[in-house]
Amino acid sequence: QVQLVESGGGLVQAGGSLRLSCAASGRTFSYYAMGWFRQAPGKEREFVAAIGWRGDSTYYADSVKGRFTISRDNAKNTVYLQMNSLNPEETAVYYCNALKSWPRNPLDAWGQGTLVTVSS
């Protein structure tokens, strides 16, 4: 099992940056590819970024390419999402999750997420 706790969200102005963290527990964390997803008010959850279990492969939604960077530190059991040049439309609850297949297919269980609010 993988237990995940997201943090780092908050209020940021348009054009600003935030760094999200996803702290994981469970001895098998290092063997999972991980992904970030987000759900904006009134919208369905969407894929944002993914990273392979060794951290060598990454994949991004077209909307965030060049602005977001996903990374991981398996020694710390943590996945990160660096978000730059944020737009108000990207206000959402951001979730991390392990992937059951590459690159967009998460496991079924979700945590609390962390709220990112981008003001204009």
Side-chain angles (χ1 to χ4, degrees), residues 6-12 18-21 36-41 83 86 88 90-95 111-118:
E6 300 93 340
S7 63
L11 177 64
V12 63
L18 281 176
R19 181 180 173 90
L20 307 182
S21 297
W36 283 97
F37 303 78
R38 65 189 178 191
Q39 186 168 24
M83 306 185 295
L86 284 161
E90 293 174 310
T91 292
V93 177
Y94 284 70
Y95 303 88
Q112 296 294 316
T114 185
L115 176 63
V116 173
T117 302
V118 186

Side-chain angles (χ1 to χ4, degrees), residues 44-115:
E44 295 185 349
R45 193 182 349 254
E46 66 175 348
F47 168 80
V48 176
I51 186 166
W53 67 276
R54 293 299 301 157
D56 53 336
S57 298
T58 58
Y59 184 78
Y60 298 92
D62 288 342
S63 62
V64 307
K65 286 181 179 178
R67 297 187 298 116
F68 289 14
T69 302
I70 187 171
S71 61
R72 69 190 297 166
D73 186 341
N74 288 345
K76 297 181 178 179
N77 288 344
T78 303
V79 182
Y80 305 96
L81 184 68
Q82 177 67 46
M83 306 185 295
N84 299 327
S85 301
L86 284 161
N87 303 311
E89 294 75 23
E90 293 174 310
T91 292
V93 177
Y94 284 70
Y95 303 88
C96 65
N97 207 346
L99 303 181
K100 57 185 175 183
S101 63
W102 181 262
R104 295 171 173 264
N105 194 189
L107 299 179
D108 293 331
W110 298 89
Q112 296 294 316
T114 185
L115 176 63

Side-chain angles (χ1 to χ4, degrees), residues 26-38:
R27 67 176 68 91
T28 61
F29 167 78
S30 296
Y31 296 101
Y32 285 92
M34 299 291 294
W36 283 97
F37 303 78
R38 65 189 178 191

